[in-house]
Amino acid sequence: MNKNTKIFSVVFFVFLVLSLVFVISCKAEPSLDSGNSPEVPRDPDDKDPDDKTPGEGGSGIIDPDFVPSEKSGVMLQGFNWSSAKRGGGYNNENRSPYWDKWYKVVKNQSEAISTKFAYLWCPPPSATDTASSEGYGPTELNNLTNCYGTEAELKAMIQAIKPTKAIADIVVNHRAGSTSWGDFTNPTWGVVKGSNYAVICSDDEGFTGEPSLMGASSKRGAADTGDTYKAYRDLDHTNTTVQQGIVDWMNNVLKPAGFVGWRYDYVKGFAGKYVGQYNAGSNAEFSVGEYWPTAAYNSGNPSAWGNEIKNWISATANGGQKSKAFDFALKGAMNTVFGNKGSNIGNSNYSLLANAANLIMSQPEDAVTFVDNHDTGSTQNHWYLDPTDVGTAYAFLLTHPGVPCVAWQHYFTYAESGSIVDSQQYIGGNTVPGTSNTYRKHIDYLIDLRNRVGIEYDDKVNTTGTTSSCYVGEIVGNNGTLLVKIGNVTDPTGEGYAGNDPIYRGTNFAIWEKGASGEDSGGNGSSGSDSGDNVGTVTYTITIPDSQTWIYNDSAKIFAWVWGGTHGDGEWISVSGTGTTLTMLADSNATGFLLARCHSATITPDWQVTEDGAGKVWNQTGDCTISSGVTNYNVSFN
């Protein structure tokens, strides 16, 4: 064999080997596209059921370092009907004792809010008719000082809760007059008292109720595009002055204050397309509408409510940018199944929870779910869920798609809420039936579980196995799979669940994680690497002498250094309260504590800080020993 032949043989051999490698590699990595076009990268928001197959054996956890997306976020309603309670004065000289407190209350709870919630639904931000101090009769839209507090306090609150994002409760169906029925100020939108009411709907009752002013004017708007609202003047949303005025208010007043989205009040009062228009005009990051159908909920025809709400959502999309809606259809189903208004006589038809009339089941990406809000519950008590089933309802909502909304009074205590009106409605420190957890610990555990499993608002639910006596829902997240049973709970038999204990259970509910067995099925929320609290949480009430009400002077913050039991050698815990009564949440096996009065900018106290600034401890109490079963203590600051 000559030299050229040898070279050719070597080259041919190398070519043959490379060809075989190429063929094998092509067989090992088949194309996702049967055609010849290049592969198009998938939008990360696009869902494919085949993409979500965690929990197939093992612990059910495919990534212990998994980071949930924003689509797993939960919202907190940052107020209730009592947060700026009516009563008292109607001017600056005689302010109600319940006013001017709430923004500071929320700011004091900013640490708890910012670590668990994606959004905070804030109360109506504008100046209001003080006969409607809750904010739903806005007078000066551009004035952000109202009965909840000042504009500066609002902005400080929004800054303090970050990274939680602020959602404004906006009232655009109607406005209140300043000195008469229909005189608008700041902005006027062209209203001239007694002669021009072109931005008010022509069929508004003000034109008959105030004959010498509104009734005498020929300049009126078009007919209302929705239901009338008799308390205040209905706005003509066909009028371009109204349309531009609302968008300008959003972009030039509310967004600079820190709001990123909107909760629209009473949206059945005007055509849904305008909500879509305002969303698009303000580039809203988040939007949800309060569409509460007028007719009573009918459990025999749940689609009557479901279709009405879905039609409104479609109308918003036609306006430019679709809005979510509160899932009142699901609220009707829950109130029917569990009972309501203190009557635990639900009809036990648990299949209503799985009905396609509920947004959470048919179009979960558009659903904001809730147990109760300021209208249905709180001190209004219009249509609240039976109290014994509130914990069960959260076990359902927080493990399912949609954007769950937690009621303030279900999460915080009376003292943490500034001790403002009716201590009975605040249950955050109460124990959830069938568990050893408080409602706050219960909700925290479920939020953590939701994030760890990677449940998102547009996930689908498999309700195979649901009967009239037991709801069964399987939810596949991005990092695990949950099986939730509500009602007549029995052990599951399916693959990945059979023989396993639930990871969490209480009265009327149980939760399993596919491929994992709960370490404790007794209601303490144990779940592998993300364990709940096996020790009950206790609200400790601490009283200081009347002479020491100065502890809150200069906007000081109070912290407790708590030690013993699950608190180990000690950890800092926020303390809330007013006057001489303080409260803290600590585990039931804690053995002692002391209180520290700190600089208002303090996040965590630091004994080493000597200059007057963040971390500085101004005063402290002596050590206080905790006795088993005792929750009330008296201490004094030095």
Side-chain angles (χ1 to χ4, degrees):
M1 182 180 293
N2 60 34
K3 181 178 182 181
N4 290 337
T5 302
K6 289 181 179 179
I7 293 173
F8 175 81
S9 299
V10 171
V11 171
F12 178 80
F13 177 79
V14 171
F15 175 79
L16 180 62
V17 170
L18 291 174
S19 298
L20 289 171
V21 170
F22 176 78
V23 170
I24 292 171
S25 66
C26 287
K27 289 183 178 180
E29 298 289 341
S31 171
L32 296 177
D33 192 332
S34 58
N36 295 320
S37 60
E39 181 180 347
V40 179
R42 176 177 294 159
D43 186 320
D45 284 342
D46 288 347
K47 294 284 182 132
D48 185 328
D50 292 334
D51 290 342
K52 304 186 74 175
T53 55
E56 299 297 331
S59 67
I61 305 302
I62 58 175
D63 182 2
D65 299 318
F66 173 76
V67 177
S69 75
E70 290 187 357
K71 295 167 72 175
S72 295
V74 175
M75 182 162 69
L76 172 69
Q77 182 171 11
F79 66 103
N80 58 41
W81 194 249
S82 297
S83 299
K85 185 180 181 294
R86 299 178 190 184
Y90 295 96
N91 54 57
N92 289 330
E93 287 74 35
N94 188 22
R95 302 285 288 177
S96 165
Y98 304 116
W99 298 349
D100 312 317
K101 296 180 178 181
W102 191 253
Y103 292 150
K104 290 177 283 190
V105 167
V106 177
K107 183 182 176 184
N108 286 341
Q109 300 303 327
S110 58
E111 184 175 358
I113 294 167
S114 63
T115 55
K116 294 297 178 186
F117 297 98
Y119 298 106
L120 182 74
W121 164 14
C122 302
S126 294
T128 185
D129 172 11
T130 50
S132 180
S133 57
E134 301 85 8
Y136 294 96
T139 50
E140 301 177 56
L141 291 179
N142 294 336
N143 180 359
L144 299 187
T145 292
N146 59 23
C147 298
Y148 294 98
T150 66
E151 178 176 351
E153 289 168 343
L154 169 65
K155 292 179 177 179
M157 177 195 78
I158 291 174
Q159 187 67 29
I161 63 171
K162 289 183 176 179
T164 303
K165 299 176 181 180
I167 306 301
D169 192 328
I170 60 173
V171 183
V172 296
N173 172 72
H174 52 269
R175 283 184 67 179
S178 295
T179 63
S180 67
W181 283 44
D183 62 328
F184 297 161
T185 56
N186 192 22
T188 65
W189 287 352
V191 168
V192 177
K193 186 176 180 179
S195 62
N196 184 0
Y197 300 95
V199 298
I200 299 175
C201 294
S202 60
D203 46 354
D204 186 90
E205 59 281 342
F207 290 111
T208 55
E210 195 180 52
S212 63
L213 292 174
M214 289 185 64
S217 174
S218 61
K219 291 186 177 180
R220 308 178 181 188
D224 205 329
T225 59
D227 292 355
T228 60
Y229 187 81
K230 294 182 178 181
Y232 297 106
R233 308 292 67 76
D234 288 357
L235 297 174
D236 175 14
H237 288 267
T238 70
N239 188 305
T240 56
T241 297
V242 172
Q243 295 172 10
Q244 190 59 49
I246 290 172
V247 172
D248 287 345
W249 173 54
M250 291 171 158
N251 287 332
N252 301 330
V253 179
L254 298 183
K255 291 179 75 173
F259 292 109
V260 303
W262 325 117
R263 179 266 183 188
Y264 289 88
D265 178 63
Y266 196 72
V267 294
K268 65 183 179 182
F270 57 103
K273 67 179 181 179
Y274 297 110
V275 166
Q277 182 176 326
Y278 301 144
N279 282 344
S282 63
N283 192 28
E285 180 178 324
F286 182 92
S287 166
V288 58
E290 181 215 22
Y291 194 103
W292 188 351
T294 304
Y297 178 80
N298 182 355
S299 61
N301 183 25
S303 293
W305 271 30
N307 290 339
E308 199 171 330
I309 298 169
K310 292 172 187 179
N311 289 339
W312 178 82
I313 293 171
S314 296
T316 68
N318 294 335
Q321 183 179 326
K322 185 171 70 168
S323 177
K324 298 178 185 292
F326 286 105
D327 197 348
F328 273 94
L330 177 64
K331 168 65 172 168
M334 291 194 300
N335 275 23
T336 301
V337 171
F338 298 131
N340 63 88
K341 288 191 174 182
S343 175
N344 191 16
I345 53 171
N347 71 0
S348 299
N349 182 10
Y350 286 85
S351 63
L352 269 178
L353 299 177
N355 195 284
N358 308 330
L359 293 179
I360 195 176
M361 293 298 164
S362 53
Q363 48 192 80
E365 67 278 5
D366 298 327
V368 175
T369 59
F370 66 103
V371 176
D372 275 306
N373 59 32
H374 63 294
D375 283 326
T376 65
S378 188
T379 49
Q380 292 208 86
N381 289 333
H382 283 162
W383 197 44
Y384 60 94
L385 193 82
D386 184 79
T388 60
D389 288 299
V390 167
T392 301
Y394 278 116
F396 176 78
L397 297 188
L398 291 169
T399 56
H400 279 63
V403 177
C405 184
V406 173
W408 179 279
Q409 63 270 18
H410 293 162
Y411 192 75
F412 290 109
T413 65
Y414 178 59
E416 290 169 330
S417 306
S419 301
I420 302 175
V421 186
D422 188 15
S423 61
Q424 297 303 310
Q425 68 170 310
Y426 299 95
I427 64 172
N430 297 355
T431 301
V432 177
T435 81
S436 59
N437 290 329
T438 64
Y439 280 90
R440 179 164 167 179
K441 284 287 187 180
H442 175 71
I443 291 168
D444 280 348
Y445 169 77
L446 292 167
I447 290 175
D448 289 344
L449 178 63
R450 177 186 189 84
N451 288 330
R452 181 173 62 78
V453 174
I455 296 169
E456 298 181 340
Y457 61 64
D458 54 356
D459 286 338
K460 303 298 182 183
V461 184
N462 174 16
T463 60
T464 302
T466 294
T467 66
S468 62
S469 62
C470 182
Y471 167 86
V472 179
E474 185 179 48
I475 307 94
V476 179
N478 283 318
N479 201 44
T481 300
L482 296 181
L483 183 72
V484 180
K485 288 195 172 189
I486 308 291
N488 183 22
V489 175
T490 58
D491 291 339
T493 58
E495 182 180 354
Y497 304 112
N500 291 339
D501 286 330
I503 58 172
Y504 189 38
R505 75 178 181 190
T507 301
N508 218 32
F509 76 88
I511 303 169
W512 286 262
E513 184 172 1
K514 191 171 186 178
S517 183
E519 296 176 5
D520 174 11
S521 61
N524 294 311
S526 295
S527 171
S529 61
D530 186 34
S531 175
D533 193 351
N534 289 329
V535 177
T537 303
V538 175
T539 298
Y540 294 92
T541 302
I542 305 156
T543 304
I544 61 174
D546 289 341
S547 61
Q548 293 193 343
T549 55
W550 50 260
I551 66 167
Y552 275 111
N553 290 353
D554 302 320
S555 302
K557 284 186 178 179
I558 311 299
F559 293 85
W561 177 256
V562 184
W563 60 86
T566 49
H567 296 286
D569 292 334
E571 61 179 320
W572 288 110
I573 293 175
S574 295
V575 174
S576 61
T578 56
T580 61
T581 302
L582 312 175
T583 62
M584 69 177 184
L585 286 173
D587 291 338
S588 58
N589 59 1
T591 59
F593 71 93
L594 64 81
L595 300 185
R597 177 176 178 264
C598 301
H599 188 280
S600 60
T602 300
I603 302 299
T604 302
D606 187 343
W607 299 106
Q608 305 305 315
V609 173
T610 56
E611 296 183 0
D612 196 21
K616 172 69 175 177
V617 176
W618 287 338
N619 310 88
Q620 69 182 79
T621 68
D623 293 356
C624 184
T625 301
I626 295 176
S627 301
S628 178
V630 179
T631 60
N632 293 283
Y633 295 89
N634 296 303
V635 300
S636 294
F637 283 84
N638 56 27

